[in-house]
Amino acid sequence: MIGTVFWAFLRTGLLGFGGGAAIAPAMHREAVERHGWVSDEAFGDILALSNTLPGPSAPQMAAVIGYQAAGLAGALAAVAALVIPMAAAAVIVISWIFAAVGESASRLLLLKKATVGIFPLVAAMVTRLVSSFFRKGGRELGTTRMIALSALAFLLIDDGRYGPVTMPFSINNAYVILVMIYLSMTNAAPWRPVAKRLAFLPAILFLVMHADPASEWGLSAPWPFKAGVALLLLGLAVAALAATPSCEGRAGTGLSLKATARDLGRLWAVVLPAGAAIVLLSPLLRQGPFLGLMGGMVFTGLMTFGGGPVFIPLAIDLLAGPRSQVFLYSQERLMQYFAIINSLPSPIVTKTAAISGFDMVCDLAGRGIADNGVLAVAGNLSQGTVTFWAVLGGAMMVVAMVLPGITNSLLAYASFDRLKRSPAMQALSLYILPVLIAIFLSVLINFLRTSAATIGAFPGRSALWGLGQTSFLFGLFWWLQGYKKKIPDVAVIAAAMIWGLTVL
């Protein structure tokens, strides 16, 4: 079973361009359709929780599904398969592109051509999942209500101010999902109708306070007021949950909170001493800049609600420029890194963590890019020794980024078992569906726009060519999705890459 989990999430990682919501269709295909480790409903719960808990969402989802399938070993196998191969690939590709002679435009162009054809493939998978979610929600909530709620969520959510799509109100996905959870609880409570209508007011106020236009117009509320509104929502949600009678026939997650906490305790009991021993043994890893970067990665990971769009500005604050917490890159270099990292599958957060840890160790050894304030402390080490410690340094940064988040997700999902037996939570999946549909629609638009713009910018091509190729590939992959049981994923991915290298 461990091997099955590993290979399933390795395949998922190969289709995980963008991470987070973008990786969900590939994960749904493996976990729900192919292996049946979780149900459709449970998958929606896992996806919703991963977008509301601190930490990158894709590794959290992998950890919960892997744990459901094969316990703690399954969780570790799922996360490792999802993030480690592509994190290693990111380090190798970036080192190749920025080798001794520096940047190579031809190499970067080759990489873009080899990967941009996969973007329409992921878009087709996202479209299939949106269609499935919409049909399910339409049966339960009604088609008109699903369209209205999905459209409202689409206008509210923030798909990333640093991407090609910016929503009018730009509210973080996590805040919208939290409000939907709150409304599902209060709507199911045995309260009078007037009380339920009044419960909408603090929810609306909460969303307004966290919308970007409020900040831009100088309407930002002081943090004590924001905290007070958040506590009011929490109190009303708890009161609604307590007032709603339980429903014993409702199936929960099947996880024991006590057993999950015990497994995680064992994991941390191994990771912490092992990490401390590695740091003490290395003349490079025990240096202040490396330890500072590791602490920054833990903090950044816990502040990354969702994935890439939230992580990018946090990574800039952490890594780029003299005002950053750890001056490792110039902003121009970090943007070049992001361009390369985004052309590779799997979550952007783990690839960035891996390359930053690798580069930090190389800089400390006097073998790095040498355009920052990191001073070499051990320049007499052999190249092989430096590479060894650099690889370990990159791996430790990945662990620092994802381990706190997957700990949160496993504990939260195990705690979810009792809540799922309440009618206040039975409607949660349905109320979350419009938000998930809105997130996926934004991902779909991002991928199609990025694909068309990238193809159109290739030498000798035009914007019309890029739009035509993207539309053709999207339609082709949409059609091929109907034959997914006959055509292996690897063959479709290989075909997309070959098309990019030969046609685009």
Side-chain angles (χ1 to χ4, degrees), residues 5 9 27 46 57-67 74-75 78-79 82:
V5 171
F9 280 90
M27 203 174 291
I46 295 168
S57 60
Q60 292 187 64
M61 294 174 64
V64 173
I65 294 171
Y67 194 83
V79 175
L82 182 70

Side-chain angles (χ1 to χ4, degrees), residues 435-490:
V435 184
L436 299 182
I437 288 173
I439 294 172
F440 289 142
L441 285 175
S442 297
V443 170
L444 171 65
I445 293 172
N446 264 330
F447 271 68
L448 293 178
R449 283 190 176 184
T450 301
S451 174
T454 303
I455 295 172
F458 289 156
R461 303 304 183 188
S462 65
L464 184 60
W465 170 265
L467 180 61
Q469 285 292 309
T470 297
S471 301
F472 168 75
L473 290 173
F474 175 76
L476 175 63
F477 290 134
W478 167 270
W479 178 73
L480 287 175
Q481 287 293 296
Y483 298 88
K484 59 189 177 184
K485 294 182 180 180
K486 299 178 182 179
I487 304 176
D489 292 338
V490 175

Side-chain angles (χ1 to χ4, degrees), residues 198-497:
L198 288 174
F200 273 87
L201 297 179
I204 295 172
L205 181 60
F206 180 83
L207 290 176
V208 169
M209 288 190 307
H210 290 90
D212 275 2
S215 300
E216 295 171 3
W217 298 338
L219 301 178
S220 296
W223 73 264
F225 184 74
K226 286 186 175 181
V229 174
L231 289 174
L232 176 61
L233 290 179
L234 178 61
L236 289 174
V238 171
L241 190 62
T244 307
S246 63
C247 180
E248 296 301 330
R250 177 69 170 175
T253 65
L255 298 184
S256 164
L257 178 59
K258 183 177 180 180
T260 303
R262 183 175 61 248
D263 287 342
L264 289 170
R266 292 170 178 169
L267 175 62
W268 279 94
V270 172
V271 170
L272 289 179
I278 292 172
V279 166
L280 292 174
L281 287 172
S282 172
L284 298 172
L285 303 189
R286 62 171 176 256
Q287 299 300 318
F290 181 85
L291 296 177
L293 179 61
M294 182 180 294
M297 281 296 166
V298 172
F299 176 79
T300 302
L302 291 175
M303 292 298 292
T304 302
F305 288 81
V310 180
F311 171 76
I312 289 176
L314 295 175
I316 294 172
D317 290 340
L318 174 66
L319 299 169
R323 294 184 181 179
S324 60
Q325 295 174 256
V326 181
F327 181 20
L328 186 57
Y329 305 115
S330 65
Q331 289 201 12
E332 180 183 4
R333 177 57 65 95
L334 186 58
M335 291 303 102
Q336 292 171 339
Y337 274 24
F338 282 145
I340 298 169
I341 287 171
N342 273 317
S343 67
L344 297 172
S346 87
I348 185 175
V349 293
T350 50
K351 290 178 289 187
T352 305
I355 189 60
S356 63
F358 185 91
D359 282 348
M360 173 62 80
V361 174
C362 290
D363 285 357
L364 288 170
R367 309 290 178 85
I369 56 181
D371 63 352
N372 54 50
V374 179
L375 300 177
V377 295
N380 59 337
L381 298 176
S382 68
Q383 183 61 49
T385 302
V386 172
T387 301
F388 173 77
W389 290 120
V391 169
L392 276 182
M396 292 183 72
M397 289 302 164
V398 173
V399 172
M401 172 62 70
V402 303
L403 187 55
I406 66 175
T407 299
N408 291 339
S409 63
L410 286 171
L411 290 175
Y413 194 65
S415 303
F416 208 49
D417 187 61
R418 182 177 178 274
L419 299 180
K420 286 289 288 182
R421 288 192 289 268
S422 168
M425 298 299 289
Q426 290 184 27
L428 174 59
S429 296
L430 294 178
Y431 278 88
I432 288 297
L433 282 180
V435 184
L436 299 182
I437 288 173
I439 294 172
F440 289 142
L441 285 175
S442 297
V443 170
L444 171 65
I445 293 172
N446 264 330
F447 271 68
L448 293 178
R449 283 190 176 184
T450 301
S451 174
T454 303
I455 295 172
F458 289 156
R461 303 304 183 188
S462 65
L464 184 60
W465 170 265
L467 180 61
Q469 285 292 309
T470 297
S471 301
F472 168 75
L473 290 173
F474 175 76
L476 175 63
F477 290 134
W478 167 270
W479 178 73
L480 287 175
Q481 287 293 296
Y483 298 88
K484 59 189 177 184
K485 294 182 180 180
K486 299 178 182 179
I487 304 176
D489 292 338
V490 175
V492 178
I493 296 171
M497 296 182 70

